[in-house]
Amino acid sequence: MAPTHARPIVALAGGVGAARFLRGLVEAVPAEQVAAVVNTGDDAEFYGVHVSPDLDIVTYTLADRVNRERGYGIEGDSFGVVDALGALGHETWFRLGDRDFATCLHRTGRLRAGAGLAAVTDEIRRAFGVAVRIVPMSEDPCPTYVEFEGGRRVHFEEYLARDGAPGDVRGVDLAAARAARPAPGVTELLRAAETILVCPSNPVVSIGPILALPGLREAIAASGAPVVGVSPIVGGAPVKGPADRLLRGVGIEVSARGVAGLYRDWLHGFVIDARDSEQAAEVGALGLRAVVTDTIMRDRGAAAALARTALELAAQLR
Ligand code: GDP
């Protein structure tokens, strides 16, 4: 057990990549010492309920309840509610499972009763038996919009789940996050952090919204903690998901070096994949300490090894 006075290890997190990394991190350090500050730029209302995709992916994964194949949703869930809504004429491209629906229904009811998203998220993670603190980045609505030629724009979930993540992205609008307040506890956690980790998450639509919040960068700097990230780009491509299309859409090279350049103002150390070892010197030239290892989290053991590498790099940078 960690002494209760241990300063927190704070991880900036998106969805699937982050959740897998966090599951490894809790093999390396006591779960009670870990706090995840999670993107809410993907949050939206579907079927009358408040859906928080990344918060729930992280919660379900750490609870060992996630659908492993998909990386989101609850293992063994059924889809009776969305299918019944479909029969009533609703659009059902957002496939929310029945048990997942219950989480969102609970969240919606608590928010309507006046509870904050941070408190409700904490209730949900405790109900799922998760010891890691899970904190939404903000309680204000922070929808991320993906932009296309001609000024057309869609909510990130429409882009991903409805439209299948097309490649002709021209930009990403994080204006809502830029005008939002960090959730209660977020800047305090960062300022108190012993180590700040940046999960292998989508740099544009998962880490981008968190860093866009007013005061976030200042809180990171004020912590004096080493800030270490893991590259979500391996061998010039994302391991999964549309990070390549979004990076290109905002004019960033799809590579470990491209992501390092995006993070360079506030990141100190970067873990990159062995397949990208030739980029280590360039990452170093950006002023970051680079470490090369296998970053593919094929199972919990691999995720734990990756987390240990990130923690060792942080210890060297302290
Ligand atoms: P999303 O909600 O699925 O977009 O979740 P995240 O934002 O957390 O993560 C997406 C990113 O995680 C993608 O860019 C993936 O390439 C990256 N990712 C997923 N699994 C792995 C892995 O095993 N290793 C590394 N290095 N990156 C990963």
Side-chain angles (χ1 to χ4, degrees):
M1 275 298 287
T4 47
H5 61 265
R7 290 166 66 203
I9 296 168
V10 182
L12 308 185
V16 181
R20 289 186 175 147
F21 180 76
L22 289 164
R23 211 173 47 159
L25 183 60
V26 298
E27 300 279 314
V29 292
E32 294 74 13
Q33 199 188 347
V34 177
V37 173
V38 181
N39 170 47
T40 56
D42 304 0
D43 286 26
E45 190 173 302
F46 291 102
Y47 320 116
V49 296
H50 182 120
V51 181
S52 293
D54 286 350
L55 287 172
D56 290 345
I57 287 168
V58 168
T59 304
Y60 299 157
T61 303
L62 289 172
D64 246 333
R65 297 277 307 277
V66 81
N67 179 312
R68 276 166 209 266
E69 201 181 312
R70 291 192 303 173
Y72 60 89
I74 295 177
E75 187 68 55
D77 212 349
S78 51
F79 293 85
V81 175
V82 279
D83 287 342
L85 286 168
L88 289 166
H90 291 253
E91 277 187 51
T92 55
W93 51 263
F94 195 84
R95 302 291 297 164
L96 194 60
D98 295 335
R99 290 185 177 84
D100 210 356
F101 212 115
T103 306
C104 299
L105 204 49
H106 169 76
R107 175 186 297 118
T108 307
R110 294 285 296 128
L111 291 172
R112 286 209 185 121
L117 184 60
V120 179
T121 302
D122 200 62
E123 291 167 12
I124 294 171
R125 68 99 179 166
R126 285 175 195 277
F128 274 83
V130 172
V132 169
R133 281 178 70 182
I134 301 176
V135 187
M137 70 181 204
S138 178
E139 294 191 329
D140 299 330
C142 303
T144 295
Y145 290 96
V146 181
E147 302 171 327
F148 301 91
E149 198 90 280
R152 194 174 76 85
R153 51 182 234 151
V154 299
H155 184 280
F156 177 72
E157 286 300 338
E158 292 174 325
Y159 169 75
L160 184 72
R162 186 190 66 192
D163 302 340
D168 54 339
V169 175
R170 287 289 173 274
V172 169
D173 178 0
L174 302 178
R178 275 200 197 91
R181 291 159 300 178
V186 168
T187 50
E188 293 80 355
L189 261 176
L190 286 168
R191 282 169 186 274
E194 173 194 278
T195 303
I196 298 174
L197 298 175
V198 185
C199 297
S201 285
N202 189 309
V204 183
V205 296
S206 292
I207 303 302
I210 302 175
L211 266 293
L213 291 167
L216 241 283
R217 289 170 194 241
E218 292 79 357
I220 290 174
S223 71
V227 187
V228 169
V230 177
S231 178
I233 302 296
V234 174
V239 177
K240 172 191 154 294
D244 50 348
R245 283 150 264 175
L246 293 159
L247 281 166
R248 252 182 242 118
V250 299
I252 308 278
E253 184 185 85
V254 184
S255 64
R257 146 182 86 203
V259 178
L262 187 63
Y263 291 173
R264 65 184 293 182
D265 288 345
W266 46 271
L267 195 74
H268 306 135
F270 204 38
V271 181
I272 68 174
D273 197 84
R275 268 162 272 187
D276 301 314
S277 58
E278 82 288 349
Q279 293 176 34
E282 286 164 279
V283 172
L286 292 170
L288 307 180
R289 179 93 61 95
V291 161
V292 177
T293 191
D294 176 9
T295 70
I296 299 298
M297 298 179 285
R298 54 185 65 77
D299 53 31
R300 193 179 298 211
L306 180 59
R308 286 195 185 94
T309 301
L311 290 168
E312 279 159 21
L313 177 55
Q316 285 167 26
L317 288 161
R318 210 178 303 285

